Amino acid sequence: MSHYKPYPAYKDSGVEWLGPVPAHWEVRRLCYAAALNPAVRAGLPLSDEVSFLPMEAIGTDGSISTDLTRLVSEVRSGYSYFEDGDVVFAKVTPCFENGKGGVMSGLIGGVGFGTTELTVLRPNTETDNRFINYLLQCDRFRLFGAGAMTGAGGLKRVPDEFTRNFAASWPVLLEQRMIATHLDRETARIDGLVSRKTRFIELLREKRQALITHAVTKGLDPNAPMKDSGVEWLGDVPAHWDVTRLKFIANVQTGVAKGKDNAGRDTVEVPYLRVANVQDGYLALDDVTTIEIPREDLARYRLQYGDVLMNEGGDFDKLGRGHIWKCEIDICIHQNHVFSVRPTKISSAWLNTFTGSTFAQFYFMTRAKQSTNLASISSTNIMELPIVLPPESEQQELLEHFARETNRIDTLISTSESSIELLKERRSALITAAVTGQIDLREAA
């Protein structure tokens, strides 16, 4: 933001976290700029159809989806109420920290109802709603709001009292609009760059997936004689490759279930891996919990170097996927929602690579029990997974090929992800600097 200039003169705001503010700006609490959670409009017909917004209809980028509707009679009580022009933000964790919120517009009849986990602000005639929306996005509001949360665990919320008394600096309405207009333009430009880089990452991941899938099922020699694999969804494979079932080349171990009564038994407390620890292509080991199990069961459940970990359930695209255990923790077991597949006649690297292919994922999906957004697969079905087996020397050649090509793609992905983070940091810093008067945008607008 080096090309932006500060205001010519500043004054002490009287608020420690706010610091100096432009000399002509006022400092006042949010409740003097907007009404908090205004009442439902009097006389609203109960038979009218209005917009309805569950939490998933509110984006972290300011977007609002108004696809859902309800009758006023169904939602007049027990829901948040808002109108076009109101500013809302999610007050519950983690939606608050993620930045869910925005300016309401395009509501049916100009009114709507939604999740009770929203705080609604209706700007007065001296306040621009876009300026308030950017104020709510600034890192100071987010930081202090998170610190003021009350409640326990996943039900912590930003109290209305914090929002009402949040002190901010305010230029006159015309200048608010100038600042908001400039931020609209700059954040749209940054968001466009983020969107393009995000799409680039998606394409790179698709390319990575296609590369692995083709190599583990067709090999690298386009002129190799082919044969029917005997598996409809797998198609032809090189004629000199074998096709077998996982149960013939590996042992599938289910994990320990929580909640067992160990009273009177000799127990030992050990770290154990949950679904959250077993991600697609890596292990997240920053937060590993422990569990008490009978000492005699430790040998059965203890993970060994080279075990291929697979999740029993979760999002559709993560089903059956995981990573290789390399004894990152000396003594560790796994819960019953994580499978440990111990190779006997196949390398861990080849097994892990094959189970990450599109074909393996298709198998997992067709054999899984599915609910609305989740799926789970049994150990019996895991054991029936068809596996292609090139000769060991060719497996090694293919794995080295994967490593070279995927490392190149992963480097591009990592670089793009870092670029996205920098853009998001720039966006956040620009908003904070603008709404707190650190930079003068009157000419820039």
Side-chain angles (χ1 to χ4, degrees), residues 202-221:
E202 291 172 355
L203 292 172
L204 286 172
R205 286 179 173 153
E206 289 173 7
K207 182 177 180 179
R208 187 184 195 278
Q209 187 73 13
L211 169 73
I212 292 174
T213 298
H214 185 273
V216 298
T217 56
K218 307 300 178 186
L220 299 178
D221 183 2

PDB file of all heavy atoms in Angstrom, residues 202-221:
ATOM      1  N   GLU A 202      -7.023 -25.801  -9.140  1.00  0.00           N
ATOM      2  CA  GLU A 202      -7.944 -26.907  -9.419  1.00  0.00           C
ATOM      3  C   GLU A 202      -7.519 -27.671 -10.669  1.00  0.00           C
ATOM      4  O   GLU A 202      -7.548 -28.912 -10.692  1.00  0.00           O
ATOM      5  CB  GLU A 202      -9.366 -26.368  -9.592  1.00  0.00           C
ATOM      6  CG  GLU A 202      -9.984 -25.836  -8.312  1.00  0.00           C
ATOM      7  CD  GLU A 202     -11.316 -25.144  -8.565  1.00  0.00           C
ATOM      8  OE1 GLU A 202     -11.694 -25.003  -9.755  1.00  0.00           O
ATOM      9  OE2 GLU A 202     -11.977 -24.751  -7.591  1.00  0.00           O
ATOM     10  N   LEU A 203      -7.126 -26.932 -11.713  1.00  0.00           N
ATOM     11  CA  LEU A 203      -6.683 -27.574 -12.949  1.00  0.00           C
ATOM     12  C   LEU A 203      -5.403 -28.373 -12.733  1.00  0.00           C
ATOM     13  O   LEU A 203      -5.240 -29.467 -13.283  1.00  0.00           O
ATOM     14  CB  LEU A 203      -6.469 -26.523 -14.040  1.00  0.00           C
ATOM     15  CG  LEU A 203      -7.735 -25.826 -14.549  1.00  0.00           C
ATOM     16  CD1 LEU A 203      -7.378 -24.678 -15.477  1.00  0.00           C
ATOM     17  CD2 LEU A 203      -8.648 -26.821 -15.264  1.00  0.00           C
ATOM     18  N   LEU A 204      -4.503 -27.828 -11.918  1.00  0.00           N
ATOM     19  CA  LEU A 204      -3.265 -28.548 -11.615  1.00  0.00           C
ATOM     20  C   LEU A 204      -3.564 -29.842 -10.862  1.00  0.00           C
ATOM     21  O   LEU A 204      -2.955 -30.893 -11.144  1.00  0.00           O
ATOM     22  CB  LEU A 204      -2.333 -27.666 -10.783  1.00  0.00           C
ATOM     23  CG  LEU A 204      -1.625 -26.527 -11.514  1.00  0.00           C
ATOM     24  CD1 LEU A 204      -0.901 -25.626 -10.515  1.00  0.00           C
ATOM     25  CD2 LEU A 204      -0.628 -27.066 -12.545  1.00  0.00           C
ATOM     26  N   ARG A 205      -4.488 -29.794  -9.931  1.00  0.00           N
ATOM     27  CA  ARG A 205      -4.843 -31.000  -9.176  1.00  0.00           C
ATOM     28  C   ARG A 205      -5.523 -32.033 -10.070  1.00  0.00           C
ATOM     29  O   ARG A 205      -5.318 -33.238  -9.916  1.00  0.00           O
ATOM     30  CB  ARG A 205      -5.731 -30.624  -7.992  1.00  0.00           C
ATOM     31  CG  ARG A 205      -4.930 -29.943  -6.878  1.00  0.00           C
ATOM     32  CD  ARG A 205      -5.787 -29.534  -5.716  1.00  0.00           C
ATOM     33  NE  ARG A 205      -4.934 -29.050  -4.613  1.00  0.00           N
ATOM     34  CZ  ARG A 205      -5.333 -28.185  -3.703  1.00  0.00           C
ATOM     35  NH1 ARG A 205      -6.561 -27.693  -3.738  1.00  0.00           N
ATOM     36  NH2 ARG A 205      -4.496 -27.797  -2.745  1.00  0.00           N
ATOM     37  N   GLU A 206      -6.349 -31.546 -10.990  1.00  0.00           N
ATOM     38  CA  GLU A 206      -6.970 -32.466 -11.944  1.00  0.00           C
ATOM     39  C   GLU A 206      -5.908 -33.120 -12.820  1.00  0.00           C
ATOM     40  O   GLU A 206      -5.973 -34.321 -13.103  1.00  0.00           O
ATOM     41  CB  GLU A 206      -7.983 -31.712 -12.811  1.00  0.00           C
ATOM     42  CG  GLU A 206      -9.236 -31.283 -12.069  1.00  0.00           C
ATOM     43  CD  GLU A 206     -10.143 -30.401 -12.906  1.00  0.00           C
ATOM     44  OE1 GLU A 206      -9.855 -30.223 -14.111  1.00  0.00           O
ATOM     45  OE2 GLU A 206     -11.135 -29.885 -12.358  1.00  0.00           O
ATOM     46  N   LYS A 207      -4.931 -32.319 -13.239  1.00  0.00           N
ATOM     47  CA  LYS A 207      -3.845 -32.863 -14.055  1.00  0.00           C
ATOM     48  C   LYS A 207      -3.041 -33.884 -13.265  1.00  0.00           C
ATOM     49  O   LYS A 207      -2.663 -34.949 -13.794  1.00  0.00           O
ATOM     50  CB  LYS A 207      -2.929 -31.726 -14.523  1.00  0.00           C
ATOM     51  CG  LYS A 207      -1.785 -32.180 -15.412  1.00  0.00           C
ATOM     52  CD  LYS A 207      -0.948 -31.003 -15.899  1.00  0.00           C
ATOM     53  CE  LYS A 207       0.198 -31.488 -16.795  1.00  0.00           C
ATOM     54  NZ  LYS A 207       1.009 -30.361 -17.302  1.00  0.00           N
ATOM     55  N   ARG A 208      -2.777 -33.584 -12.000  1.00  0.00           N
ATOM     56  CA  ARG A 208      -2.040 -34.503 -11.133  1.00  0.00           C
ATOM     57  C   ARG A 208      -2.793 -35.818 -10.997  1.00  0.00           C
ATOM     58  O   ARG A 208      -2.212 -36.903 -11.094  1.00  0.00           O
ATOM     59  CB  ARG A 208      -1.848 -33.850  -9.762  1.00  0.00           C
ATOM     60  CG  ARG A 208      -0.955 -34.591  -8.798  1.00  0.00           C
ATOM     61  CD  ARG A 208      -0.942 -33.861  -7.457  1.00  0.00           C
ATOM     62  NE  ARG A 208       0.131 -34.304  -6.601  1.00  0.00           N
ATOM     63  CZ  ARG A 208       0.085 -35.387  -5.838  1.00  0.00           C
ATOM     64  NH1 ARG A 208      -0.998 -36.139  -5.839  1.00  0.00           N
ATOM     65  NH2 ARG A 208       1.119 -35.726  -5.066  1.00  0.00           N
ATOM     66  N   GLN A 209      -4.100 -35.712 -10.769  1.00  0.00           N
ATOM     67  CA  GLN A 209      -4.930 -36.899 -10.617  1.00  0.00           C
ATOM     68  C   GLN A 209      -4.944 -37.729 -11.896  1.00  0.00           C
ATOM     69  O   GLN A 209      -4.836 -38.960 -11.867  1.00  0.00           O
ATOM     70  CB  GLN A 209      -6.359 -36.478 -10.245  1.00  0.00           C
ATOM     71  CG  GLN A 209      -7.284 -37.625  -9.892  1.00  0.00           C
ATOM     72  CD  GLN A 209      -6.966 -38.226  -8.541  1.00  0.00           C
ATOM     73  OE1 GLN A 209      -6.211 -37.662  -7.755  1.00  0.00           O
ATOM     74  NE2 GLN A 209      -7.514 -39.402  -8.279  1.00  0.00           N
ATOM     75  N   ALA A 210      -5.092 -37.055 -13.048  1.00  0.00           N
ATOM     76  CA  ALA A 210      -5.127 -37.753 -14.335  1.00  0.00           C
ATOM     77  C   ALA A 210      -3.793 -38.446 -14.617  1.00  0.00           C
ATOM     78  O   ALA A 210      -3.763 -39.568 -15.142  1.00  0.00           O
ATOM     79  CB  ALA A 210      -5.458 -36.764 -15.449  1.00  0.00           C
ATOM     80  N   LEU A 211      -2.707 -37.779 -14.247  1.00  0.00           N
ATOM     81  CA  LEU A 211      -1.372 -38.349 -14.453  1.00  0.00           C
ATOM     82  C   LEU A 211      -1.227 -39.651 -13.672  1.00  0.00           C
ATOM     83  O   LEU A 211      -0.784 -40.678 -14.209  1.00  0.00           O
ATOM     84  CB  LEU A 211      -0.311 -37.343 -13.998  1.00  0.00           C
ATOM     85  CG  LEU A 211       1.126 -37.852 -13.885  1.00  0.00           C
ATOM     86  CD1 LEU A 211       1.709 -38.060 -15.274  1.00  0.00           C
ATOM     87  CD2 LEU A 211       1.984 -36.877 -13.084  1.00  0.00           C
ATOM     88  N   ILE A 212      -1.601 -39.626 -12.398  1.00  0.00           N
ATOM     89  CA  ILE A 212      -1.481 -40.806 -11.553  1.00  0.00           C
ATOM     90  C   ILE A 212      -2.406 -41.915 -12.054  1.00  0.00           C
ATOM     91  O   ILE A 212      -2.002 -43.079 -12.186  1.00  0.00           O
ATOM     92  CB  ILE A 212      -1.813 -40.448 -10.090  1.00  0.00           C
ATOM     93  CG1 ILE A 212      -0.730 -39.529  -9.515  1.00  0.00           C
ATOM     94  CG2 ILE A 212      -1.957 -41.705  -9.238  1.00  0.00           C
ATOM     95  CD1 ILE A 212      -1.051 -39.003  -8.134  1.00  0.00           C
ATOM     96  N   THR A 213      -3.651 -41.559 -12.341  1.00  0.00           N
ATOM     97  CA  THR A 213      -4.632 -42.559 -12.752  1.00  0.00           C
ATOM     98  C   THR A 213      -4.204 -43.272 -14.027  1.00  0.00           C
ATOM     99  O   THR A 213      -4.295 -44.499 -14.130  1.00  0.00           O
ATOM    100  CB  THR A 213      -6.001 -41.893 -12.957  1.00  0.00           C
ATOM    101  OG1 THR A 213      -6.441 -41.340 -11.704  1.00  0.00           O
ATOM    102  CG2 THR A 213      -7.032 -42.894 -13.451  1.00  0.00           C
ATOM    103  N   HIS A 214      -3.725 -42.528 -15.009  1.00  0.00           N
ATOM    104  CA  HIS A 214      -3.314 -43.148 -16.266  1.00  0.00           C
ATOM    105  C   HIS A 214      -2.107 -44.052 -16.055  1.00  0.00           C
ATOM    106  O   HIS A 214      -2.043 -45.182 -16.577  1.00  0.00           O
ATOM    107  CB  HIS A 214      -2.990 -42.081 -17.309  1.00  0.00           C
ATOM    108  CG  HIS A 214      -2.677 -42.642 -18.659  1.00  0.00           C
ATOM    109  ND1 HIS A 214      -1.398 -43.031 -19.023  1.00  0.00           N
ATOM    110  CD2 HIS A 214      -3.469 -42.902 -19.727  1.00  0.00           C
ATOM    111  CE1 HIS A 214      -1.424 -43.497 -20.249  1.00  0.00           C
ATOM    112  NE2 HIS A 214      -2.665 -43.438 -20.709  1.00  0.00           N
ATOM    113  N   ALA A 215      -1.147 -43.581 -15.268  1.00  0.00           N
ATOM    114  CA  ALA A 215       0.081 -44.345 -15.085  1.00  0.00           C
ATOM    115  C   ALA A 215      -0.160 -45.648 -14.329  1.00  0.00           C
ATOM    116  O   ALA A 215       0.406 -46.689 -14.683  1.00  0.00           O
ATOM    117  CB  ALA A 215       1.126 -43.501 -14.376  1.00  0.00           C
ATOM    118  N   VAL A 216      -1.018 -45.621 -13.284  1.00  0.00           N
ATOM    119  CA  VAL A 216      -1.208 -46.838 -12.475  1.00  0.00           C
ATOM    120  C   VAL A 216      -2.136 -47.832 -13.139  1.00  0.00           C
ATOM    121  O   VAL A 216      -2.257 -48.977 -12.676  1.00  0.00           O
ATOM    122  CB  VAL A 216      -1.751 -46.512 -11.060  1.00  0.00           C
ATOM    123  CG1 VAL A 216      -0.783 -45.653 -10.292  1.00  0.00           C
ATOM    124  CG2 VAL A 216      -3.133 -45.896 -11.118  1.00  0.00           C
ATOM    125  N   THR A 217      -2.792 -47.459 -14.219  1.00  0.00           N
ATOM    126  CA  THR A 217      -3.698 -48.394 -14.890  1.00  0.00           C
ATOM    127  C   THR A 217      -3.272 -48.715 -16.321  1.00  0.00           C
ATOM    128  O   THR A 217      -3.650 -49.757 -16.864  1.00  0.00           O
ATOM    129  CB  THR A 217      -5.129 -47.837 -14.916  1.00  0.00           C
ATOM    130  OG1 THR A 217      -5.127 -46.542 -15.545  1.00  0.00           O
ATOM    131  CG2 THR A 217      -5.695 -47.716 -13.513  1.00  0.00           C
ATOM    132  N   LYS A 218      -2.484 -47.843 -16.938  1.00  0.00           N
ATOM    133  CA  LYS A 218      -2.080 -48.055 -18.330  1.00  0.00           C
ATOM    134  C   LYS A 218      -0.562 -48.138 -18.511  1.00  0.00           C
ATOM    135  O   LYS A 218      -0.090 -48.604 -19.547  1.00  0.00           O
ATOM    136  CB  LYS A 218      -2.622 -46.922 -19.217  1.00  0.00           C
ATOM    137  CG  LYS A 218      -4.129 -46.678 -19.090  1.00  0.00           C
ATOM    138  CD  LYS A 218      -4.949 -47.902 -19.462  1.00  0.00           C
ATOM    139  CE  LYS A 218      -6.449 -47.642 -19.289  1.00  0.00           C
ATOM    140  NZ  LYS A 218      -7.258 -48.860 -19.501  1.00  0.00           N
ATOM    141  N   GLY A 219       0.195 -47.649 -17.540  1.00  0.00           N
ATOM    142  CA  GLY A 219       1.640 -47.649 -17.670  1.00  0.00           C
ATOM    143  C   GLY A 219       2.135 -46.499 -18.525  1.00  0.00           C
ATOM    144  O   GLY A 219       1.366 -45.621 -18.930  1.00  0.00           O
ATOM    145  N   LEU A 220       3.437 -46.494 -18.798  1.00  0.00           N
ATOM    146  CA  LEU A 220       4.057 -45.391 -19.538  1.00  0.00           C
ATOM    147  C   LEU A 220       4.306 -45.722 -21.003  1.00  0.00           C
ATOM    148  O   LEU A 220       4.581 -44.822 -21.799  1.00  0.00           O
ATOM    149  CB  LEU A 220       5.380 -45.004 -18.870  1.00  0.00           C
ATOM    150  CG  LEU A 220       5.292 -44.513 -17.419  1.00  0.00           C
ATOM    151  CD1 LEU A 220       6.693 -44.220 -16.880  1.00  0.00           C
ATOM    152  CD2 LEU A 220       4.412 -43.287 -17.315  1.00  0.00           C
ATOM    153  N   ASP A 221       4.223 -46.998 -21.350  1.00  0.00           N
ATOM    154  CA  ASP A 221       4.498 -47.411 -22.734  1.00  0.00           C
ATOM    155  C   ASP A 221       3.201 -47.432 -23.540  1.00  0.00           C
ATOM    156  O   ASP A 221       2.363 -48.323 -23.350  1.00  0.00           O
ATOM    157  CB  ASP A 221       5.148 -48.794 -22.742  1.00  0.00           C
ATOM    158  CG  ASP A 221       5.518 -49.247 -24.151  1.00  0.00           C
ATOM    159  OD1 ASP A 221       5.295 -48.477 -25.107  1.00  0.00           O
ATOM    160  OD2 ASP A 221       6.030 -50.383 -24.279  1.00  0.00           O
TER     161      ASP A 221
END
